[in-house]
Amino acid sequence: MKKISRLADELIEDTLKEAADTFFGRRKGIEHEISLFEQKVRELRPLAQRIEQAAKSLNFLLLKGKEVENFWRYLNVEFPLDFDPDWRLGITIPAGLTIKSRYAKLLVYVYQTLAKAIEEYTYGKHVEDTVIKGRKLVTVNYNFLQRWASEINEKIEKINYYQKPSDVLQFVKRMNVEEIEKERIAGAPMKYSLDKDLLLDKLIFSDYKLKRYPDLARDDKTIKLVKRFARGLVKRNKQEIKRILEEISKYAREFSK
């Protein structure tokens, strides 16, 4: 009988160990995955800063913000208007015979810089795998992180629903006959308030402050619209644009030092 009792105790011990490993192991796995997710969020932030720099520079070029709304309306694009005009690009003004041509080229360049940054931020870009030769990888991007956050939340929902702490504790207590008898005598109900306290919190994607930007076209038709807008702006505000170009030239000289 002692041998049978010992075997039963060992079986109970193994069962409890497996239950604990499953309960804590899955939670630990989620915590590790969230840590990896947040690391990738940090990797994307420099690209978000590039978008901000390009948007601020574009707004500066558009008469220091006065023509921003008209510009996006002209292109039929709903773009955020909350970027303060501030020249942040260390580039020289393109060559041209007239202010109109120089300004138009510069506006196109800044617009395309913004469009490329948004495209890479939203969809990523293909790069060579440094481990497996010939394989292409896609860099971290907004869409990938948004999908990943949803997948993590689905896992959290399943763990919170199917692996409630109180259910695990009930299971452990059922393996202990003496404990059950004590609770029966004491009249203590086998109900616990652990679930609410130990719930895994779902990710709130908006808390990571990653903005969603509209795609910006870079086809010939769109570039012609940008140039046309630039020429019309110079025609109406030649002296103001001349001063803006002078400020940009001064900044470029200081930036190159």
Side-chain angles (χ1 to χ4, degrees):
M1 290 295 292
K2 289 183 178 179
K3 186 175 181 180
I4 293 175
S5 178
R6 187 172 67 253
L7 289 173
D9 289 343
E10 290 176 356
L11 178 61
I12 291 172
E13 184 178 345
D14 289 344
T15 303
L16 292 176
K17 184 177 183 302
E18 183 178 350
D21 288 345
T22 300
F23 178 77
F24 292 108
R26 289 182 178 173
R27 286 171 173 255
K28 196 69 177 176
I30 286 293
E31 290 175 2
H32 179 65
E33 188 170 0
I34 290 175
S35 178
L36 291 176
F37 169 83
E38 291 180 341
Q39 177 185 328
K40 293 300 179 183
V41 169
R42 290 191 292 271
E43 289 180 17
L44 188 61
R45 294 208 184 280
L47 193 50
Q49 291 172 358
R50 276 174 48 193
I51 292 174
E52 183 177 335
Q53 290 174 346
K56 286 184 174 183
S57 297
L58 182 71
N59 289 4
F60 182 87
L61 202 53
L62 292 169
L63 302 190
K64 298 184 177 181
K66 289 186 288 187
E67 288 291 330
V68 172
E69 190 172 352
N70 291 334
F71 176 76
W72 292 119
R73 189 185 298 116
Y74 191 75
L75 297 184
N76 194 28
V77 174
E78 292 186 11
F79 197 84
L81 304 175
D82 55 345
F83 292 103
D84 294 330
D86 186 13
W87 187 257
R88 294 298 185 97
L89 302 178
I91 61 173
T92 57
I93 297 174
L97 296 176
T98 63
I99 290 178
K100 187 180 295 185
S101 64
R102 293 198 298 273
Y103 179 78
K105 289 178 182 179
L106 186 57
L107 187 62
V108 167
Y109 177 85
V110 176
Y111 171 83
Q112 289 184 322
T113 298
L114 177 60
K116 290 174 184 177
I118 289 174
E119 183 177 340
E120 184 178 342
Y121 170 87
T122 306
Y123 305 104
K125 68 177 181 179
H126 288 90
V127 295
E128 293 288 341
D129 189 342
T130 57
V131 178
I132 301 177
K133 187 177 180 180
R135 189 172 74 166
K136 296 281 188 180
L137 299 176
V138 178
T139 56
V140 63
N141 58 80
Y142 179 94
N143 286 348
F144 167 74
L145 290 176
Q146 192 175 48
R147 288 194 304 270
W148 193 5
S150 296
E151 291 169 4
I152 290 174
N153 282 340
E154 287 177 8
K155 294 177 184 178
I156 289 174
E157 281 184 0
K158 288 179 181 178
I159 288 175
N160 286 339
Y161 183 81
Y162 291 109
Q163 285 191 310
K164 294 185 177 72
S166 60
D167 290 344
V168 175
L169 191 55
Q170 291 255 23
F171 172 76
V172 170
K173 283 184 173 290
R174 282 197 294 269
M175 301 298 289
N176 189 329
V177 177
E178 292 182 2
E179 188 68 23
I180 293 176
E181 184 62 19
K182 287 179 183 178
E183 288 198 348
R184 187 188 67 78
I185 293 172
M190 292 185 67
K191 294 181 180 179
Y192 306 92
S193 60
L194 295 173
D195 295 341
K196 187 174 181 181
D197 295 334
L198 296 181
L199 277 177
L200 289 172
D201 293 327
K202 293 169 68 175
L203 296 179
I204 301 175
F205 190 70
S206 59
D207 285 352
Y208 292 96
K209 308 300 182 186
L210 294 175
K211 294 182 180 180
R212 175 82 191 195
Y213 295 100
D215 294 338
L216 299 181
R218 288 186 284 139
D219 57 281
D220 291 343
K221 181 180 178 181
T222 302
I223 298 305
K224 285 180 181 178
L225 287 175
V226 174
K227 289 179 179 178
R228 189 184 304 160
F229 184 89
R231 288 193 293 268
L233 206 56
V234 172
K235 187 176 181 179
R236 298 188 302 273
N237 305 274
K238 187 173 182 179
Q239 292 305 314
E240 189 170 357
I241 287 175
K242 184 179 179 181
R243 287 192 294 271
I244 286 174
L245 293 181
E246 288 172 353
E247 287 185 49
I248 292 173
S249 295
K250 181 180 177 182
Y251 180 88
R253 288 193 299 271
E254 293 176 352
F255 185 85
S256 63
K257 289 180 181 178

